[in-house]
Amino acid sequence: MKTNAFSIQYGRVSDPSQARGNSRTRQFGKMRDEAGLMGYDCQREVFDDGRSGFHGHHITKGRLGELLQEIDSGALIGWVLQIENIDRLSRQGQTATFALVNRILQAGVSIHTCDQDHLEAYQEIELLDVMKLAVKAEAANKEAKKRQDRASSSWSIRRDHSKADGRAIPGAKPAWVERVGDENKIVERLAAQARRIWEIADETGHGAHTITRLLNLEGIPMFDTGKPWYASRVDLILSGMEVIGYHQPRRKDGGKWVPDGAPIKVYPPIIPHDLYKRVRDAAATRLATHGGGKSKRIANLLSGLCRCESCGRSMRIAGSNSRGYLMCSGRDRGICDNAVAFPYRALESTVLDEVLPLAVDDDAFANKSEVTRVNTIIAERETAHLVALEKAKGLLNLAARGSDMAVEMALAAEAAAKRIAENLRALRKQRDAAMGRANAAEHIARLKDMRGRLRDDIDLRRKVLQAFNTVIQSVSFSSEGVTTLRLIGNIVTVKIGVTGSVLSGEAALTLKEDELAEHSDQKVVDLVRAVTHRFAKIYQRGDANWKMDKGLHRQA
């Protein structure tokens, strides 16, 4: 029966590659023919490219979700939604499909398929239609599940072959690599873009979002797409190992991609290993200290550490940068009675006196060029050691299944890993020698110079902020006007008055190795060793705050 109703034609493909074929053309061609047959006046075509009907992404992330909002608003009452068949609407099984169909019908929109199935708006679905719909919905769901299982199995086989052959999964290569015969070749103009990302990260300390903005300001397109960069792509390049030549096989675990076995060396590297290590280490430090790239100013060197003793809420700086006060944030909301204003500059000066020599390492006299050279070699050998260990582990698993050849290969891989480990130990000794160590007097002189530059040097303030976060456990502020500073593990506690004067200082340093060995927190153990070393080296001097005789005491 012909009608002059308006219609909207909806099509969908799960894989963008389908859209490059004839799927889209076929769907809309069939719907146009059906519209002519039924007398529908098509007003609009809506298409979801690469949106899964099995996972519901066409609704949560796609154009169908937008169309459903328009249908729900009542703007399309009396219209007809045309689809090729029911699985274009949903592949989530009969329950989800029934719910979606009812939602559309009850909003005044009819549904018509190219199979001549017609569901009229506001009408109860007849029993025969219910049965047909249930069968088709369930068949679509099973087919989608079968496809997903086949794809998952296919990827699993490709990953296994990749690990066995030492080659990347076909199609998984980075944008700057092209396959020429059996070799991976670098496309230099594209590699230069990826290299630029790592150089900006190294030069500025910025993360993916700021680097994305800088790339787009420079007018650098994203590889061959001609499109602007987006942060997730930049983050993918910064978090991967492809730039140093490694492919990391991955598998899905609980909906998330996780590493599956050892990285495989398959590509030519495009950046030095020491650059890779510097940027990754800096990213780890930013994460640990809640950093976020360069800021215009870093007012509070104790950011993230200051808490009110009364309510446990954070302290905030009030007032100007030069005459600021730390005050309880709970007081502003009327939920804390700690009304003391702690002058920030006086506190900063005292904390620098007490903690700076413990937080800043004394490597100012290092041979930096030699350290850089050795670090490059160490970074390469560390990666090779990791790969060798994972290879040996995989071969041992095969050997456990009775493979004699795998036993020999596993022993050879273990021997190779041991040789690399011995080489690494020698290289680290070589690096330690190149780094050098300043004596106590030289170190104290350097700290005085640092203090003189600290107020106006943003980069230096950032370094001190990060250093403080590695050694300070907490800074608490009482309603009596006393600030209590504790190092990690409570190994040192200093109480400071509201004017910045030190009221008392206590140290509970565990010097015995057997006690350290039994401690559960390795971070505390490492810090105790570092702090006791620095105390012993620096604070025996007459001009220091602490002295060490039978025990450790703060001088009056």
Side-chain angles (χ1 to χ4, degrees):
M1 179 177 177
K2 289 197 173 185
T3 174
N4 293 321
F6 289 146
S7 75
I8 292 178
Q9 295 175 354
Y10 173 74
R12 179 188 59 78
V13 292
S14 299
D15 188 336
S17 63
Q18 294 175 273
R20 293 193 291 270
N22 64 2
S23 181
R24 176 173 182 164
T25 303
R26 187 198 71 245
Q27 290 181 54
F28 284 109
K30 290 175 69 175
M31 284 187 280
R32 290 189 198 102
D33 290 344
E34 191 70 16
L37 182 65
M38 300 300 297
Y40 297 145
D41 185 359
C42 180
Q43 299 293 304
R44 202 188 327 165
E45 292 180 354
V46 177
F47 186 69
D48 269 319
D49 186 1
R51 298 298 185 186
S52 170
F54 179 67
H55 295 288
H57 293 164
H58 61 324
I59 297 175
T60 58
K61 302 177 182 179
R63 300 286 303 282
L64 181 60
E66 299 171 3
L67 180 58
L68 288 172
Q69 290 181 5
E70 190 176 357
I71 290 172
D72 290 339
S73 72
L76 301 178
I77 292 176
W79 287 46
V80 176
L81 175 62
Q82 286 188 255
I83 51 178
E84 183 188 26
N85 46 53
I86 202 67
D87 65 357
R88 297 299 169 188
L89 203 58
S90 174
R91 285 181 177 266
Q92 293 183 289
Q94 56 179 302
T95 302
T97 303
F98 271 125
L100 180 58
V101 166
N102 271 318
R103 174 181 175 182
I104 295 169
L105 297 180
Q106 296 309 311
V109 176
S110 301
I111 298 173
H112 189 89
T113 77
C114 294
D115 297 332
Q116 290 289 304
D117 291 327
H118 184 88
L119 300 173
E120 190 67 27
Y122 299 127
Q123 299 294 318
E124 288 289 332
I125 305 176
E126 294 183 2
L127 180 60
L128 182 60
D129 289 329
V130 169
M131 294 172 64
K132 287 168 62 178
L133 186 61
V135 170
K136 290 182 178 182
E138 200 60 26
N141 177 254
K142 288 180 178 178
E143 176 62 22
K145 182 69 168 62
K146 189 187 299 181
R147 289 181 185 179
Q148 185 187 53
D149 291 343
R150 280 202 302 262
S152 177
S153 176
S154 172
W155 275 103
S156 178
I157 292 169
R158 293 164 80 184
R159 283 196 300 272
D160 290 344
H161 286 171
S162 171
K163 288 184 281 186
D165 298 342
R167 297 181 181 181
I169 294 175
K173 61 182 177 58
W176 57 88
V177 172
E178 66 176 355
R179 190 78 173 167
V180 180
D182 290 334
E183 293 186 67
N184 289 312
K185 298 286 188 180
I186 295 297
V187 182
E188 181 52 39
R189 61 186 173 78
L190 301 179
Q193 296 180 22
R195 195 179 297 120
R196 178 65 180 140
I197 290 171
W198 284 81
E199 289 170 350
I200 293 175
D202 186 42
E203 293 165 4
T204 66
H206 291 321
H209 287 278
T210 305
I211 292 174
T212 301
R213 182 173 56 82
L214 293 174
L215 288 170
N216 291 332
L217 285 174
E218 291 179 15
I220 300 174
M222 184 173 62
F223 298 127
D224 275 340
T225 65
K227 297 178 181 178
W229 286 90
Y230 49 89
S232 60
R233 187 64 184 272
V234 172
D235 186 61
L236 191 66
I237 292 170
L238 286 173
S239 61
M241 298 178 69
E242 289 81 4
V243 288
I244 54 172
Y246 284 85
H247 166 70
Q248 173 64 69
R250 295 181 183 275
R251 60 181 171 80
K252 267 198 172 180
D253 184 8
K256 293 184 179 180
W257 287 102
V258 297
D260 185 20
I264 307 166
K265 184 78 164 68
V266 290
Y267 310 123
I270 63 170
I271 66 170
H273 272 71
D274 63 317
L275 171 58
Y276 175 83
K277 193 172 189 306
R278 281 200 307 274
V279 172
R280 296 307 306 145
D281 288 349
T285 301
R286 282 199 308 274
L287 182 65
T289 59
H290 309 288
K294 287 193 172 183
S295 58
K296 294 181 179 178
R297 65 185 182 94
I298 298 175
N300 185 0
L301 292 180
L302 303 172
S303 179
L305 297 167
C306 301
R307 296 284 166 183
C308 172
E309 227 173 68
S310 299
C311 68
R313 289 177 173 79
S314 62
M315 303 289 288
R316 66 174 185 87
I317 287 188
S320 66
N321 192 30
S322 58
R323 297 190 62 181
Y325 294 85
L326 282 165
M327 301 190 69
C328 174
S329 58
R331 176 71 179 178
D332 297 340
R333 291 177 280 173
I335 53 179
C336 182
D337 59 1
N338 187 350
V340 180
F342 297 81
Y344 174 75
R345 285 297 176 191
L347 175 65
E348 178 184 288
S349 179
T350 303
V351 173
L352 286 168
D353 288 340
E354 301 296 322
V355 181
L356 189 62
L358 306 179
V360 177
D361 292 327
D362 52 351
D363 58 353
F365 298 97
N367 182 342
K368 293 184 179 180
S369 61
E370 176 65 5
V371 170
T372 299
R373 187 188 72 81
V374 177
N375 269 337
T376 301
I377 301 172
I378 288 175
E380 292 173 350
R381 300 308 290 159
E382 283 177 338
T383 305
H385 187 238
L386 174 65
V387 172
L389 287 174
E390 288 293 337
K391 183 177 180 181
K393 181 180 176 181
L395 288 168
L396 284 171
N397 288 336
L398 284 176
R401 300 174 193 168
S403 171
D404 294 336
M405 184 179 293
V407 172
E408 293 179 11
M409 293 174 68
L411 292 173
E414 280 189 326
K418 287 179 181 178
R419 286 194 298 272
I420 295 171
E422 290 172 2
N423 182 224
L424 276 170
R425 282 191 287 272
L427 285 168
R428 287 173 183 137
K429 287 182 181 179
Q430 186 177 342
R431 179 180 60 186
D432 289 344
M435 289 176 70
R437 294 299 172 190
N439 61 39
E442 290 168 333
H443 186 54
I444 289 173
R446 185 184 63 197
L447 293 178
K448 288 180 179 178
D449 175 66
M450 181 183 287
R451 289 286 298 273
R453 297 184 290 114
L454 192 58
R455 177 165 295 197
D456 300 317
D457 191 327
I458 296 173
D459 289 330
L460 192 57
R461 288 185 74 82
R462 180 181 297 103
K463 290 178 183 177
V464 172
L465 166 64
Q466 293 175 346
F468 277 178
N469 271 268
T470 65
V471 297
I472 297 176
Q473 176 173 295
S474 65
V475 186
S476 59
F477 298 78
S478 75
S479 57
E480 289 76 36
V482 176
T483 301
T484 303
L485 182 149
R486 294 182 177 86
L487 296 194
I488 288 176
N490 293 319
I491 57 176
V492 172
T493 302
V494 179
K495 292 190 179 293
I496 304 168
V498 73
T499 61
S501 59
V502 174
L503 304 177
S504 65
E506 299 175 0
L509 298 176
T510 304
L511 302 177
K512 295 179 181 179
E513 281 297 320
D514 58 341
E515 293 180 20
L516 286 177
E518 295 176 1
H519 201 287
S520 60
D521 191 335
Q522 187 59 42
K523 189 174 183 180
V524 173
V525 171
D526 292 341
L527 183 63
V528 168
R529 288 190 175 121
V531 171
T532 52
H533 170 74
R534 293 170 194 169
F535 264 121
K537 186 173 183 178
I538 298 170
Y539 288 140
Q540 295 181 66
R541 294 174 52 83
D543 59 350
N545 298 330
W546 299 71
K547 66 179 180 179
M548 187 178 289
D549 39 41
K550 292 182 181 179
L552 189 65
H553 307 279
R554 196 181 190 288
Q555 297 186 139

